Amino acid sequence: MPTVTPTVTPTVAEATPVSTTARPPDGLPSMISYLTRVLKTPTISRCWEDLAAQARAENWSHEEYLATVLQRQVAERESAGTTMRIRTAHFPAVKTLEEFNLDHLPSLRRDVLAHLATGTFIARAENVILLGPPGLGKTHLAIGLGVKAAHAGYSVLFDTANNWITRLATAHQAGQLEAELRKIRRYKLIIIDEVGYIPFDHDAANLFFQLIASRYEQASVLVTSNLPFGRWGETFSDDVVAAAMIDRLVHHAEVLTLTGDSYRTRQRRELLAKQNRAQRD
């Protein structure tokens, strides 16, 4: 009776070995260049050779070399992603929390701001409301928190309250309001700046309410306003709509009521004082 030799199916790794016969004629560097193009890892393509020389000089293990090469690639990819998220957020200007002078705003608790800067409120679909008179730096703080969110990997979209209403009204007129709200909901954080500066009519107030309601417990909203909640009825021309909106905003929110001198006014006073001293001298 003849002997039957069993058929063994090779694993993927066994079936596709990386052999010297598969290398391009000019050797290992060209092969690595080819593989990094296929894997779409341009940073590795640029840095592997220099890091290999450093690894030999410093006697790294294979694992240490591999980890360093991969860290370079991940760091550059994350940096590029952050740059793209900041660009698509449409901030009027890129401002950071580090640039903000906290000394002129003693009412702002530094521990609360540091906690918000971690972005954990976004992961929990919570909100942030900054209330206070003009000139305290609410927009700067909002942008700074938005930039921190972008660094943390969250998608952000910024606009003024008036422009948000214009965007929603245009979509509503085109019969695309629900689609527009779904599109906006894909952003993990939206920033609505300057609520209260321009009053809204009844239709605009309803559109604004739908924006807030569509994100309730789904995604985060950061709002800045020069008015306390008790006066939002003036802005939205309807105390009932304003109350319903506030209820949804503050249910899961950090509300920061800011007090102090106007930053711009103080800068103006300091400039005038400096000019007066110069004239006296």
Side-chain angles (χ1 to χ4, degrees):
M1 184 174 181
T3 302
V4 178
T5 303
T7 301
V8 179
T9 303
T11 64
V12 173
E14 293 169 338
T16 57
V18 179
S19 64
T20 54
T21 58
R23 293 177 184 170
D26 51 350
L28 191 60
S30 289
M31 184 180 188
I32 293 176
S33 178
Y34 165 74
L35 293 174
T36 55
R37 285 199 305 273
V38 172
L39 293 173
K40 297 181 180 178
T41 53
T43 303
I44 293 178
S45 179
R46 290 195 302 271
C47 76
W48 73 267
E49 200 164 8
D50 289 340
L51 289 176
Q54 184 179 355
R56 284 189 290 269
E58 299 178 10
N59 200 28
W60 293 355
S61 67
H62 296 308
E63 292 83 0
E64 288 172 328
Y65 172 68
L66 176 61
T68 302
V69 168
L70 294 177
Q71 283 173 348
R72 287 286 184 90
Q73 178 63 55
V74 170
E76 183 160 313
R77 185 166 293 176
E78 288 180 345
S79 176
T82 297
T83 300
M84 179 60 69
R85 286 188 293 273
I86 290 174
R87 183 181 302 123
T88 57
H90 299 301
F91 297 122
V94 177
K95 300 182 179 183
T96 67
L97 294 181
E98 290 74 17
E99 296 168 339
F100 190 83
N101 183 4
L102 291 171
D103 293 336
H104 88 275
L105 204 58
S107 61
L108 178 61
R109 286 179 50 187
R110 287 165 170 76
D111 59 332
V112 173
L113 183 62
H115 174 68
L116 293 176
T118 66
T120 53
F121 76 94
I122 303 173
R124 298 172 183 169
E126 296 173 349
N127 304 324
V128 176
I129 298 96
L130 303 176
L131 303 177
L136 295 185
K138 298 186 298 298
T139 299
H140 187 148
L141 290 171
I143 293 173
L145 288 171
V147 169
K148 287 289 188 184
H151 278 280
Y154 296 109
S155 52
V156 183
L157 191 58
F158 177 102
D159 218 332
T160 63
N162 193 53
N163 286 344
W164 278 111
I165 292 298
T166 299
R167 176 174 182 159
L168 295 175
T170 300
H172 180 59
Q173 292 167 3
Q176 297 293 320
L177 181 60
E178 289 303 319
E180 184 66 18
L181 290 173
R182 284 195 300 272
K183 179 180 177 182
I184 295 170
R185 199 156 52 237
R186 291 201 292 266
Y187 289 89
K188 294 299 183 180
L189 172 67
I190 66 168
I191 300 175
I192 305 174
D193 195 31
E194 298 181 347
V195 171
Y197 285 85
I198 299 175
F200 298 136
D201 61 23
H202 181 73
D203 291 340
N206 282 332
L207 289 172
F208 198 86
F209 173 78
Q210 290 186 63
L211 174 62
I212 300 303
S214 72
R215 299 182 66 82
Y216 178 60
E217 296 185 330
Q218 300 296 317
S220 296
V221 181
L222 193 161
V223 175
T224 76
S225 177
N226 63 315
L227 298 177
F229 287 134
R231 294 185 57 190
W232 277 32
E234 301 172 17
T235 293
F236 294 101
S237 306
D238 190 321
D239 289 335
V240 175
V241 171
M245 191 181 315
I246 293 168
D247 182 64
R248 284 162 176 77
L249 276 173
V250 304
H251 184 205
H252 306 289
E254 187 73 54
V255 180
L256 303 180
T257 301
L258 308 178
T259 59
D261 292 334
S262 166
Y263 185 69
R264 288 183 290 271
T265 301
R266 188 171 61 258
Q267 279 189 320
R268 178 63 177 167
R269 286 202 305 267
E270 291 173 353
L271 178 61
L272 289 174
K274 184 177 180 180
Q275 290 174 343
N276 289 335
R277 286 195 300 270
Q279 289 174 354
R280 288 197 299 270
D281 294 341

